[in-house]
Amino acid sequence: PAPPAPPASSQPARGIHSASSSGEKEASPSTLASALSRFARQQTAREEEEEEEQEACKALQEALLKRDPLAIGLPDRHAVNLLRGLLRWNADERISAEAALRHTYFVGN
């Protein structure tokens, strides 16, 4: 035997934009099309911005890698030397801020 049919509702089925008895107006097809078009343009703009940002990040990474002969994220041996001096665990061995500013990395050879 077939399952019994669900009881009929006393209210008609309504969609998201259907008119209701409280005075809501149904959205016209042109209004919906306009909103959808606006949404699609915004999504396209966001995607283009993300793509531009990714391209800029990639260009920056490539530029940094060209200046990184040691392939460790630092541009030259002076930068490595400065970083090692700044990151010494023992404070007595660590270089001061004044000495760091006079380092060859900042003032040249």
Side-chain angles (χ1 to χ4, degrees):
S9 174
S10 60
Q11 295 186 356
R14 295 184 339 187
I16 294 174
H17 294 287
S18 298
S20 69
S21 60
S22 65
E24 291 178 15
K25 294 183 180 180
E26 184 175 329
S28 69
S30 64
T31 302
L32 292 174
S34 175
L36 182 59
S37 175
R38 193 169 50 251
F39 175 76
R41 284 192 307 271
Q42 290 172 346
Q43 284 298 108
T44 301
R46 282 189 199 110
E47 290 169 0
E48 289 172 355
E49 287 174 4
E50 288 176 8
E51 190 174 304
E52 288 175 8
E53 185 177 340
Q54 287 175 355
E55 289 173 7
C57 286
K58 185 176 180 181
L60 178 60
Q61 284 178 328
E62 289 173 0
L64 290 173
L65 287 175
K66 286 178 185 176
R67 291 188 44 122
D68 187 10
L70 303 176
I72 57 172
L74 297 169
D76 58 25
R77 61 187 173 87
H78 298 295
V80 173
N81 183 281
L82 174 63
L83 189 60
R84 283 184 180 151
L86 290 168
L87 296 178
R88 300 248 182 221
W89 185 258
N90 185 338
D92 296 333
E93 296 175 3
R94 193 177 313 132
I95 64 173
S96 68
E98 290 176 354
L101 291 173
R102 290 190 310 266
H103 192 275
T104 51
Y105 179 75
F106 292 114
V107 296
N109 296 338

